Amino acid sequence: EVQVKESGGGSVQAGGSLRLSCTASGFTFDDSDMGWYRQAPGNECELVSSISSDGITYYVDSVKGRFTISQDNAKNTVYLQMNSLKPEETAVYYCAADEADPIPLVRCKSKALDAWGQGTLVTVSS
């Protein structure tokens, strides 16, 4: 069974940093693209960053230069390092996996993707 699980959310002041982790099971990164999505209350789901099976990365414009996605194949884990966080980035962050390349823009928790995590809350206070 293809599964992913996030960890690392929490509360931080504006300008602070957090690192999210997403541990995968039931598949390897050779087979899937990985994406980090987020959704704030009242907002649409947003693809924040992704990494393809061959290591190509994507960032939404608003996080370029501040967020970094990486993966550790030995640990089957993808990371999202988030620096200089802003209050408007308060949201539930989801990790997702899919065979499609690039990983598509979909609603959070959409059944169109192979796997979603349960989400981890990131709260950025001003």
Side-chain angles (χ1 to χ4, degrees):
E1 183 182 3
V2 174
Q3 291 184 326
V4 296
K5 183 175 181 181
E6 310 95 339
S7 61
S11 297
V12 65
Q13 289 191 328
S17 298
L18 284 173
R19 188 177 78 159
L20 305 183
S21 300
C22 173
T23 301
S25 60
F27 67 100
T28 69
F29 295 147
D30 289 340
D31 303 322
S32 291
D33 284 18
M34 302 295 296
W36 284 100
Y37 297 75
R38 67 186 176 191
Q39 188 163 27
N43 288 7
E44 294 186 352
C45 185
E46 178 180 46
L47 176 60
V48 177
S49 180
S50 67
I51 185 165
S52 71
S53 57
D54 52 3
I56 297 173
T57 58
Y58 160 84
Y59 299 95
V60 69
D61 284 347
S62 62
V63 308
K64 286 180 180 177
R66 298 186 298 116
F67 289 15
T68 303
I69 192 170
S70 62
Q71 64 187 39
D72 184 332
N73 290 344
K75 295 182 178 180
N76 232 28
T77 300
V78 173
Y79 303 98
L80 185 67
Q81 177 67 43
M82 307 185 295
N83 298 329
S84 302
L85 282 160
K86 304 175 181 180
E88 56 265 35
E89 294 179 311
T90 293
V92 177
Y93 285 70
Y94 298 94
C95 174
D98 198 74
E99 293 182 339
D101 182 24
I103 197 165
L105 301 174
V106 296
R107 290 181 296 108
C108 287
K109 305 290 279 185
S110 169
K111 294 181 179 179
L113 299 192
D114 293 336
W116 290 90
Q118 80 283 1
T120 186
L121 178 63
V122 172
T123 303
V124 185
S125 58
S126 57

